[in-house]
Structure formats: C-alpha cells, structure tokens
Amino acid sequence: MEINDVVTAISIKLNETFGDAYEIYTESIEQGFKKPAFFILLLQPEFNQVVGNRYHETLPFDIHYFGPGYMDAYSTANKLMSEMEYIQLLNGDLLRGTKMKGEVIDGVLHFFVNYNFHVYKVTNPLDKMEDLQLNNGLKR
C-alpha cells in the first residue's frame, strides 16, 4: 500500500459523500479556485518498527474545506466526522480513521484524521551456501 492509494481513497469517499459539485485538490490549490472545494494534505507520516519486519504506519491528513461560510463549514465538519471513519482502498481493504477533529480558521475548515495500518516489510532472503566441505580427523 502506498500513500497515493490512501489519498485516492479519501478523494473517492469525498466525492461519494458530497458529489461532483465539489472540487477535490490533491497537489496544490490554484489562485482563483472554485468553491466549494476540498484540499487533501498529508502532514507528517510516521513509520515505526514494531517487531522484526512488522511496522506501524500512521498517515495524518488535514482535509481543508473551502465553503461559502462558517455555518456551512460546521455542517461539513459534522458530516466528515461520520463519513470519513472508514475509507475503502481500490483493492477493497478498509482503513479506519482515528483522532478525527475539526477546526475552522478564517472561514476554512481543517478536518484532521489519521489512517493507521500495519505493514509487513518483505526482505530479500540471504543467499544460502551451495556446498560445504568438512574435513575432520585425528592428528597423530
């Protein structure tokens, strides 16, 4: 699984929830963009080893919502709280959102959500010896 897979799943979920009238940006927001719109921003991903080849990955997102006003931002935050709890990746896997919270700053909703999952890192096996010769005996 890659970060882009999660961003795609978030975009799909936003589109399913709010419809085609909302623009969804994942790269950057251009001057004079059309409202209402969402901007998906990955904050600081974490990748921590748990045991052996098992790792825990945390992807914290800030989903910006640009709407017509504060009341719209509040109702959008409420809808995001319930709808973004589960997102489905293209391969069918579900990811659960944690640590969800919203905050409106200067009329822009910042909806924070973490998507966490475990990763098993596959390593290349070590080359095995093909032949081993052992000479033993007693010295006299």
Side-chain angles (χ1 to χ4, degrees), residues 58-90:
T58 301
L59 300 178
F61 287 93
D62 179 0
I63 301 172
H64 297 66
Y65 171 68
F66 301 92
Y70 282 93
M71 296 307 286
D72 182 54
Y74 300 144
S75 65
T76 301
N78 193 37
K79 197 168 194 177
L80 287 170
M81 287 288 184
S82 63
E83 295 296 324
M84 298 307 290
E85 184 175 3
Y86 290 98
I87 60 171
Q88 187 170 16
L89 301 172
L90 292 177

Short mmCIF file of all heavy atoms in Angstrom, two decimals, residues 58-90:
data_model
loop_
_atom_site.label_atom_id
_atom_site.label_comp_id
_atom_site.label_asym_id
_atom_site.label_seq_id
_atom_site.Cartn_x
_atom_site.Cartn_y
_atom_site.Cartn_z
N THR A 58 1.47 5.49 10.28
CA THR A 58 0.43 6.46 10.60
C THR A 58 0.49 7.57 9.56
O THR A 58 1.54 8.17 9.34
CB THR A 58 0.65 7.07 12.00
OG1 THR A 58 0.63 6.03 12.97
CG2 THR A 58 -0.44 8.09 12.33
N LEU A 59 -0.66 7.80 8.91
CA LEU A 59 -0.75 8.86 7.91
C LEU A 59 -1.75 9.90 8.39
O LEU A 59 -2.97 9.71 8.30
CB LEU A 59 -1.21 8.28 6.57
CG LEU A 59 -0.32 7.21 5.95
CD1 LEU A 59 -0.91 6.69 4.65
CD2 LEU A 59 1.08 7.74 5.72
N PRO A 60 -1.25 11.02 8.93
CA PRO A 60 -2.15 12.09 9.40
C PRO A 60 -2.48 13.06 8.26
O PRO A 60 -1.58 13.56 7.58
CB PRO A 60 -1.34 12.78 10.50
CG PRO A 60 0.08 12.54 10.12
CD PRO A 60 0.12 11.24 9.34
N PHE A 61 -3.75 13.31 8.05
CA PHE A 61 -4.21 14.19 6.98
C PHE A 61 -4.92 15.41 7.55
O PHE A 61 -5.58 15.33 8.60
CB PHE A 61 -5.16 13.46 6.03
CG PHE A 61 -4.48 12.47 5.15
CD1 PHE A 61 -4.38 11.14 5.52
CD2 PHE A 61 -3.93 12.86 3.94
CE1 PHE A 61 -3.74 10.21 4.71
CE2 PHE A 61 -3.29 11.94 3.12
CZ PHE A 61 -3.20 10.62 3.52
N ASP A 62 -4.79 16.51 6.85
CA ASP A 62 -5.57 17.72 7.10
C ASP A 62 -6.37 17.97 5.82
O ASP A 62 -5.81 18.32 4.79
CB ASP A 62 -4.64 18.90 7.41
CG ASP A 62 -5.39 20.21 7.65
OD1 ASP A 62 -6.63 20.21 7.59
OD2 ASP A 62 -4.71 21.22 7.88
N ILE A 63 -7.66 17.72 5.90
CA ILE A 63 -8.53 17.94 4.75
C ILE A 63 -9.13 19.33 4.90
O ILE A 63 -9.92 19.59 5.81
CB ILE A 63 -9.63 16.86 4.67
CG1 ILE A 63 -9.01 15.47 4.58
CG2 ILE A 63 -10.57 17.14 3.50
CD1 ILE A 63 -10.00 14.33 4.70
N HIS A 64 -8.70 20.24 4.04
CA HIS A 64 -9.20 21.61 4.06
C HIS A 64 -10.53 21.65 3.30
O HIS A 64 -10.64 21.05 2.24
CB HIS A 64 -8.24 22.56 3.34
CG HIS A 64 -6.89 22.69 3.95
ND1 HIS A 64 -5.98 21.66 4.00
CD2 HIS A 64 -6.28 23.75 4.52
CE1 HIS A 64 -4.87 22.08 4.57
NE2 HIS A 64 -5.02 23.35 4.90
N TYR A 65 -11.47 22.39 3.85
CA TYR A 65 -12.72 22.61 3.14
C TYR A 65 -12.92 24.11 2.98
O TYR A 65 -12.94 24.86 3.95
CB TYR A 65 -13.91 22.00 3.89
CG TYR A 65 -15.23 22.40 3.30
CD1 TYR A 65 -15.60 21.94 2.04
CD2 TYR A 65 -16.10 23.24 3.98
CE1 TYR A 65 -16.80 22.32 1.47
CE2 TYR A 65 -17.31 23.62 3.42
CZ TYR A 65 -17.64 23.16 2.16
OH TYR A 65 -18.83 23.53 1.59
N PHE A 66 -13.07 24.53 1.73
CA PHE A 66 -13.32 25.93 1.41
C PHE A 66 -14.78 26.04 0.97
O PHE A 66 -15.14 25.55 -0.10
CB PHE A 66 -12.40 26.38 0.27
CG PHE A 66 -10.94 26.24 0.60
CD1 PHE A 66 -10.26 25.08 0.28
CD2 PHE A 66 -10.27 27.27 1.23
CE1 PHE A 66 -8.91 24.94 0.57
CE2 PHE A 66 -8.91 27.14 1.54
CZ PHE A 66 -8.24 25.98 1.21
N GLY A 67 -15.59 26.64 1.81
CA GLY A 67 -17.01 26.77 1.51
C GLY A 67 -17.47 28.20 1.59
O GLY A 67 -16.66 29.12 1.78
N PRO A 68 -18.78 28.40 1.51
CA PRO A 68 -19.31 29.77 1.47
C PRO A 68 -19.33 30.49 2.82
O PRO A 68 -19.48 31.69 2.86
CB PRO A 68 -20.71 29.59 0.91
CG PRO A 68 -21.08 28.19 1.22
CD PRO A 68 -19.80 27.41 1.23
N GLY A 69 -19.21 29.76 3.95
CA GLY A 69 -19.27 30.45 5.24
C GLY A 69 -19.07 29.52 6.41
O GLY A 69 -18.88 28.32 6.26
N TYR A 70 -19.14 30.12 7.61
CA TYR A 70 -18.89 29.36 8.83
C TYR A 70 -19.94 28.28 9.07
O TYR A 70 -19.60 27.16 9.46
CB TYR A 70 -18.83 30.30 10.04
CG TYR A 70 -17.53 31.04 10.16
CD1 TYR A 70 -17.36 32.29 9.59
CD2 TYR A 70 -16.46 30.48 10.82
CE1 TYR A 70 -16.16 32.98 9.69
CE2 TYR A 70 -15.25 31.14 10.94
CZ TYR A 70 -15.10 32.39 10.37
OH TYR A 70 -13.91 33.04 10.46
N MET A 71 -21.20 28.60 8.88
CA MET A 71 -22.26 27.62 9.15
C MET A 71 -22.12 26.41 8.23
O MET A 71 -22.30 25.27 8.66
CB MET A 71 -23.65 28.26 9.00
CG MET A 71 -23.92 29.35 10.01
SD MET A 71 -23.64 28.84 11.73
CE MET A 71 -25.04 27.81 12.00
N ASP A 72 -21.76 26.64 6.99
CA ASP A 72 -21.52 25.55 6.05
C ASP A 72 -20.31 24.72 6.49
O ASP A 72 -20.33 23.50 6.40
CB ASP A 72 -21.30 26.11 4.64
CG ASP A 72 -21.11 25.03 3.61
OD1 ASP A 72 -21.97 24.14 3.52
OD2 ASP A 72 -20.08 25.06 2.91
N ALA A 73 -19.29 25.39 7.00
CA ALA A 73 -18.09 24.68 7.47
C ALA A 73 -18.44 23.78 8.66
O ALA A 73 -17.96 22.65 8.74
CB ALA A 73 -17.00 25.67 7.85
N TYR A 74 -19.28 24.27 9.57
CA TYR A 74 -19.67 23.47 10.73
C TYR A 74 -20.46 22.23 10.32
O TYR A 74 -20.22 21.13 10.82
CB TYR A 74 -20.49 24.30 11.72
CG TYR A 74 -19.77 25.50 12.28
CD1 TYR A 74 -20.45 26.68 12.53
CD2 TYR A 74 -18.40 25.47 12.54
CE1 TYR A 74 -19.81 27.80 13.04
CE2 TYR A 74 -17.75 26.58 13.04
CZ TYR A 74 -18.45 27.74 13.28
OH TYR A 74 -17.80 28.85 13.79
N SER A 75 -21.40 22.39 9.40
CA SER A 75 -22.19 21.23 8.97
C SER A 75 -21.33 20.26 8.17
O SER A 75 -21.52 19.04 8.27
CB SER A 75 -23.42 21.67 8.18
OG SER A 75 -23.03 22.27 6.97
N THR A 76 -20.36 20.77 7.41
CA THR A 76 -19.45 19.89 6.68
C THR A 76 -18.57 19.11 7.64
O THR A 76 -18.32 17.91 7.45
CB THR A 76 -18.58 20.71 5.69
OG1 THR A 76 -19.46 21.38 4.78
CG2 THR A 76 -17.62 19.82 4.92
N ALA A 77 -18.11 19.76 8.72
CA ALA A 77 -17.30 19.07 9.73
C ALA A 77 -18.08 17.92 10.35
O ALA A 77 -17.55 16.82 10.54
CB ALA A 77 -16.85 20.05 10.81
N ASN A 78 -19.35 18.17 10.65
CA ASN A 78 -20.20 17.14 11.23
C ASN A 78 -20.35 15.96 10.28
O ASN A 78 -20.27 14.80 10.69
CB ASN A 78 -21.56 17.75 11.57
CG ASN A 78 -22.37 16.85 12.44
OD1 ASN A 78 -21.83 16.17 13.31
ND2 ASN A 78 -23.67 16.84 12.23
N LYS A 79 -20.54 16.24 9.00
CA LYS A 79 -20.70 15.18 8.01
C LYS A 79 -19.39 14.40 7.83
O LYS A 79 -19.39 13.18 7.71
CB LYS A 79 -21.14 15.79 6.68
CG LYS A 79 -21.72 14.80 5.72
CD LYS A 79 -22.39 15.53 4.58
CE LYS A 79 -23.26 14.59 3.79
NZ LYS A 79 -23.97 15.27 2.72
N LEU A 80 -18.25 15.10 7.83
CA LEU A 80 -16.96 14.44 7.69
C LEU A 80 -16.68 13.51 8.87
O LEU A 80 -16.08 12.45 8.70
CB LEU A 80 -15.83 15.47 7.56
CG LEU A 80 -15.76 16.20 6.22
CD1 LEU A 80 -14.76 17.36 6.31
CD2 LEU A 80 -15.37 15.25 5.10
N MET A 81 -17.10 13.91 10.07
CA MET A 81 -16.89 13.08 11.26
C MET A 81 -17.50 11.69 11.09
O MET A 81 -16.92 10.69 11.48
CB MET A 81 -17.49 13.73 12.51
CG MET A 81 -16.74 14.90 13.01
SD MET A 81 -15.19 14.44 13.79
CE MET A 81 -14.65 16.03 14.36
N SER A 82 -18.68 11.63 10.50
CA SER A 82 -19.33 10.33 10.35
C SER A 82 -18.89 9.61 9.07
O SER A 82 -18.72 8.39 9.08
CB SER A 82 -20.85 10.49 10.37
OG SER A 82 -21.27 11.27 9.28
N GLU A 83 -18.67 10.34 8.00
CA GLU A 83 -18.38 9.69 6.72
C GLU A 83 -16.93 9.26 6.53
O GLU A 83 -16.65 8.33 5.78
CB GLU A 83 -18.80 10.61 5.57
CG GLU A 83 -20.28 10.87 5.49
CD GLU A 83 -21.07 9.60 5.21
OE1 GLU A 83 -20.59 8.73 4.46
OE2 GLU A 83 -22.19 9.49 5.75
N MET A 84 -15.99 9.93 7.17
CA MET A 84 -14.57 9.61 6.94
C MET A 84 -14.03 8.58 7.93
O MET A 84 -12.83 8.32 7.95
CB MET A 84 -13.73 10.89 7.00
CG MET A 84 -14.07 11.90 5.93
SD MET A 84 -14.07 11.26 4.24
CE MET A 84 -12.33 11.01 3.99
N GLU A 85 -14.91 7.99 8.74
CA GLU A 85 -14.44 6.98 9.69
C GLU A 85 -13.86 5.77 8.95
O GLU A 85 -12.87 5.19 9.36
CB GLU A 85 -15.55 6.54 10.62
CG GLU A 85 -15.05 5.57 11.67
CD GLU A 85 -16.09 5.19 12.70
OE1 GLU A 85 -17.26 5.63 12.59
OE2 GLU A 85 -15.73 4.44 13.62
N TYR A 86 -14.48 5.38 7.85
CA TYR A 86 -13.97 4.27 7.04
C TYR A 86 -13.84 4.70 5.59
O TYR A 86 -14.77 5.28 5.02
CB TYR A 86 -14.91 3.06 7.12
CG TYR A 86 -14.91 2.39 8.46
CD1 TYR A 86 -15.89 2.66 9.40
CD2 TYR A 86 -13.89 1.50 8.80
CE1 TYR A 86 -15.88 2.05 10.65
CE2 TYR A 86 -13.86 0.89 10.04
CZ TYR A 86 -14.86 1.17 10.96
OH TYR A 86 -14.83 0.57 12.19
N ILE A 87 -12.68 4.41 5.02
CA ILE A 87 -12.47 4.62 3.59
C ILE A 87 -12.05 3.29 2.99
O ILE A 87 -11.45 2.45 3.67
CB ILE A 87 -11.42 5.72 3.30
CG1 ILE A 87 -10.05 5.36 3.89
CG2 ILE A 87 -11.91 7.08 3.78
CD1 ILE A 87 -8.93 6.28 3.47
N GLN A 88 -12.39 3.10 1.72
CA GLN A 88 -12.07 1.84 1.06
C GLN A 88 -11.02 2.08 -0.02
O GLN A 88 -11.18 2.94 -0.89
CB GLN A 88 -13.33 1.23 0.43
CG GLN A 88 -13.09 -0.14 -0.13
CD GLN A 88 -14.39 -0.82 -0.53
OE1 GLN A 88 -15.43 -0.18 -0.67
NE2 GLN A 88 -14.33 -2.11 -0.73
N LEU A 89 -9.94 1.31 0.07
CA LEU A 89 -8.89 1.38 -0.93
C LEU A 89 -9.37 0.70 -2.21
O LEU A 89 -10.34 -0.06 -2.20
CB LEU A 89 -7.62 0.70 -0.42
CG LEU A 89 -7.03 1.30 0.87
CD1 LEU A 89 -5.89 0.43 1.37
CD2 LEU A 89 -6.55 2.71 0.63
N LEU A 90 -8.68 0.96 -3.31
CA LEU A 90 -9.07 0.37 -4.59
C LEU A 90 -8.99 -1.16 -4.57
O LEU A 90 -9.71 -1.82 -5.31
CB LEU A 90 -8.20 0.93 -5.72
CG LEU A 90 -8.42 2.40 -6.03
CD1 LEU A 90 -7.46 2.87 -7.11
CD2 LEU A 90 -9.86 2.68 -6.42
#
